[in-house]
Amino acid sequence: MTDATAHTSRSDRLRVLVYSDDASTRQKVVLALGKRPHPDLPELEYVEVATAPVVIQEMDAGGIDLAVLDGEAVPAGGMGIAKQLKDEIDECPPILVLTGRPDDAWLASWSRAEAAVPHPLDPIRLSEAVIALLRTRLSA
């Protein structure tokens, strides 16, 4: 894989990759976050992905500011993909993993994801985690 260093040069948008094999899960993430989860942040542009190979392709191409990966996706779960991305991409963008239950947070930690939010998705909790990760990304 290549170096996916600097976040997008377009200061007007942040690109968020949303991975799940379930279209309704992707939709819930996008609806929960909206176009602008916080007034201090630029608008979000979503890259919705349904398969692991496309996640790898998009992340390898660069320009993604945050990845939200569904840990419950099949056949490739977001935690395994997160670990692979962190192992293979220099300066990998932050990753948030959606876990099956709150007790699975330790698995997200194993995957080297910076944050985890359990299913069923709580829009406030998801937004808070995403805002924190994007602020960190922008200040880097």
Side-chain angles (χ1 to χ4, degrees), residues 26-34 37 46 121-124 126-127:
R26 294 192 308 270
Q27 183 181 31
K28 286 175 188 173
V29 169
V30 171
L31 290 174
L33 297 175
Y46 296 99
L121 293 180
D122 174 349
I124 293 172
L126 179 63
S127 293

Side-chain angles (χ1 to χ4, degrees), residues 9-28:
S9 61
R10 294 164 294 150
S11 61
D12 60 333
R13 297 238 170 141
L14 295 171
R15 294 185 76 219
V16 177
L17 182 139
V18 180
Y19 163 69
S20 179
D21 64 314
D22 183 344
S24 68
T25 298
R26 294 192 308 270
Q27 183 181 31
K28 286 175 188 173

Side-chain angles (χ1 to χ4, degrees), residues 87-107:
D87 288 347
E88 296 180 1
I89 295 179
D90 294 331
E91 298 190 40
C92 185
I95 296 175
L96 181 147
V97 174
L98 306 175
T99 62
R101 56 198 180 111
D103 292 344
D104 291 339
W106 72 272
L107 284 169

Side-chain angles (χ1 to χ4, degrees), residues 23-93:
S24 68
T25 298
R26 294 192 308 270
Q27 183 181 31
K28 286 175 188 173
V29 169
V30 171
L31 290 174
L33 297 175
K35 284 249 180 218
R36 182 175 249 155
H38 194 278
D40 294 346
L41 294 173
E43 283 190 12
L44 303 183
E45 175 185 330
Y46 296 99
V47 179
E48 293 188 49
V49 177
T51 65
V54 178
V55 171
I56 303 301
Q57 176 185 337
E58 289 287 340
M59 294 293 285
D60 195 30
I64 299 294
D65 296 294
L66 171 71
V68 178
L69 308 178
D70 186 1
E72 300 299 296
V74 290
M79 287 185 241
I81 294 170
K83 179 124 174 55
Q84 179 180 349
L85 293 170
K86 291 295 186 178
D87 288 347
E88 296 180 1
I89 295 179
D90 294 331
E91 298 190 40
C92 185

